[in-house]
Amino acid sequence: MKLDAVELRAVALPLVSPFRTSLGTQSVRTALVVRVLSDEGEGWGECVAEDEPAYSPEYLAGATDVIKRFMIPALAGIDLDPAAVGPTLRHLRGHPMAKAAVEMAVLDCWLRARRTSLAAHLGGVRRRVRVGVSVGIAESVDALLATVDRHLSAGYARIKLKIEPGWDLEPVRAVRETFGADVMLTVDANTAYELADLRHLARLDAFGLALLEQPFAPDDLHAHATLAARMDTPICLDESITSARDAAEAIRRGACSIVNVKPGRVGGYLEARRIHDVAQANGVPVWCGGMLETGLGRAANLALASLPGFTLPGDISATERYYRRDITRAFVLDGGEMEVPDTPGLGVLPEPTDLEAATTTVSRLTV
Ligand code: SMG
Ligand code: MG
């Protein structure tokens, strides 16, 4: 397959309600949609970098620039097999979300031409996957309880609460006491704590959480390992894991016993599968994280979550939890599960009118 042109499109999708984490508040999801055109057809990808470099060092304008300036030229002459994208871009340090977006579009294009679904290509074994929902920091405990109630009534298989210092034990206790011991509950700190908070965090053990996600800085495996040795609640890493090698090292050091796999954070769906394989070989469960994706990323995440080691519900929620109007068809929740797309490539395409409505800028680069 040979690359002919690439279209880079910035889209802006207003969220149905603002999403607050320890990193800040988002009310509009801006994303970069990548469309590759090749001699074998076209394919679509999405870059999950955010406007500001807060969750990770990448940001949308930077990702757009590095794709244009360095990635597309590097891919220009080569035989575009999806497995070649990562190695071809390896000399460009960092920028995993930008790399993932390009690889995703190439995968979609290549798989469509071969009439194969992404789930089948990755080795998926499930037609439907159990999913959860990530609940932001609320204005009050009452407001949080109302939101959790709504999500449980909708049928979500797991509730994840965002926490930060000052919003942790009390909301978690309230949710546990109100909804009972049977609800699968997790918390995500997005790096908001320090090792000095260890005794405070250990008090979360009282609430029967399925996991505590990323309490400390991304590069602090030592702090995570220290906490893991002192808590019953399993520690899960998100921001710390940017490759299969990182995952192996974090597991070896006892810094986590569960891994959140996000394709954007690790450079693409193929590296995400390698993390799955490393974790599985070590008996470590994984689950698919979310970055408030558009329908393109949601479709691909469902494919990834259909692999056998994805045994915990992912942050892959129904479209209506995020957007009133997405750029693809809507994804719906059914009995706490979502269907894995099984048609070629990602299994979804942008709806032209919705895509146009969300677009803020487009540029086309001929190779
Ligand atoms: O897509 O449902 C979603 C969002 C899930 O909480 C979510 N993602 O750290 O796991 C995480 C966050 C990152 C995005 S907000 C900064
Ligand atoms: Mg997280």
Side-chain angles (χ1 to χ4, degrees):
M1 191 167 93
K2 195 186 139 302
L3 193 60
D4 291 331
V6 178
E7 197 177 85
L8 296 177
R9 179 185 292 262
V11 297
L13 297 170
L15 290 167
V16 291
S17 56
F19 186 51
R20 179 169 159 213
T21 73
S22 66
L23 301 166
T25 305
Q26 270 182 282
S27 35
V28 178
R29 180 48 160 141
T30 49
L32 173 69
V33 172
V34 178
R35 177 184 178 206
V36 298
L37 298 104
S38 80
D39 56 344
E40 296 190 14
E42 65 171 39
W44 296 83
E46 167 179 359
C47 180
V48 298
E50 299 178 321
D51 267 334
E52 293 178 19
Y55 167 83
S56 91
E58 288 185 272
Y59 63 102
L60 221 49
T64 308
D65 188 67
V66 77
I67 292 174
K68 267 189 198 166
R69 201 193 289 251
F70 300 105
M71 295 184 184
I72 296 169
L75 294 169
I78 72 158
D79 177 19
L80 254 200
D81 178 312
V85 175
T88 305
L89 302 180
R90 192 165 288 148
H91 66 291
L92 302 170
R93 207 176 283 281
H95 301 285
M97 293 174 175
K99 289 174 180 171
V102 172
E103 185 200 77
M104 179 178 169
V106 171
L107 261 172
D108 183 39
C109 182
W110 194 83
L111 290 172
R112 275 179 204 285
R114 283 155 189 76
R115 314 276 330 138
T116 303
S117 71
L118 179 60
H121 182 68
L122 294 175
V125 294
R126 282 185 277 267
R127 301 166 63 96
R128 299 162 61 83
V129 296
R130 284 197 311 150
V131 297
V133 60
S134 175
V135 182
I137 294 167
E139 292 277 308
S140 65
V141 169
D142 282 348
L144 175 72
L145 294 176
T147 304
V148 170
D149 189 35
R150 195 160 41 78
H151 291 315
L152 288 173
S153 305
Y156 283 106
R158 182 225 63 194
I159 300 288
K160 159 165 139 181
L161 304 179
K162 290 291 188 177
I163 59 167
E164 66 181 5
W167 181 265
D168 45 33
L169 302 176
E170 194 198 346
V172 174
R173 177 182 293 112
V175 169
R176 184 52 94 204
E177 284 177 358
T178 307
F179 301 103
D182 291 345
V183 171
M184 191 192 295
L185 196 60
T186 73
V187 294
D188 185 1
N190 286 111
T191 74
Y193 294 86
E194 293 178 13
L195 197 46
D197 300 314
L198 188 149
R199 284 155 64 93
H200 179 75
L201 287 169
R203 294 173 66 192
L204 288 167
D205 270 345
F207 308 117
L209 301 175
L211 60 90
L212 159 56
E213 183 176 345
Q214 197 72 43
F216 306 126
D219 61 357
D220 203 347
L221 290 186
H222 168 73
H224 287 101
T226 306
L227 181 66
R230 294 274 294 273
M231 274 186 95
D232 295 331
T233 306
I235 304 300
C236 170
L237 290 177
D238 173 353
E239 284 90 329
S240 294
I241 308 297
T242 62
S243 64
R245 199 173 56 193
D246 279 358
E249 177 68 4
I251 293 166
R252 190 187 67 74
R253 290 179 56 178
C256 67
S257 52
I258 298 176
V259 176
N260 166 331
V261 183
K262 284 182 186 164
R265 194 191 68 222
V266 307
Y269 285 86
L270 301 181
E271 186 70 8
R273 179 177 57 186
R274 287 189 279 272
I275 294 180
H276 161 272
D277 296 348
V278 163
Q280 221 187 9
N282 283 278
V284 165
V286 301
W287 55 282
C288 184
M291 289 297 291
L292 307 169
E293 283 86 355
T294 73
L296 297 172
R298 200 169 318 291
N301 285 351
L302 286 165
L304 181 66
S306 73
L307 269 67
F310 283 76
T311 52
L312 293 168
D315 280 342
I316 313 174
S317 311
T319 302
E320 63 168 18
R321 176 256 176 268
Y322 306 97
Y323 309 117
R324 227 159 252 125
R325 184 178 187 184
D326 199 343
I327 59 172
T328 67
R329 69 160 173 90
F331 288 79
V332 294
L333 185 68
D334 176 17
E337 299 182 329
M338 283 167 73
E339 239 170 71
V340 178
D342 62 358
T343 49
L346 306 179
V348 289
L349 281 171
E351 298 288 340
T353 52
D354 297 326
L355 183 63
E356 279 315 314
T359 298
T360 50
T361 61
V362 199
S363 59
R364 192 183 170 107
L365 294 106
T366 315
V367 173

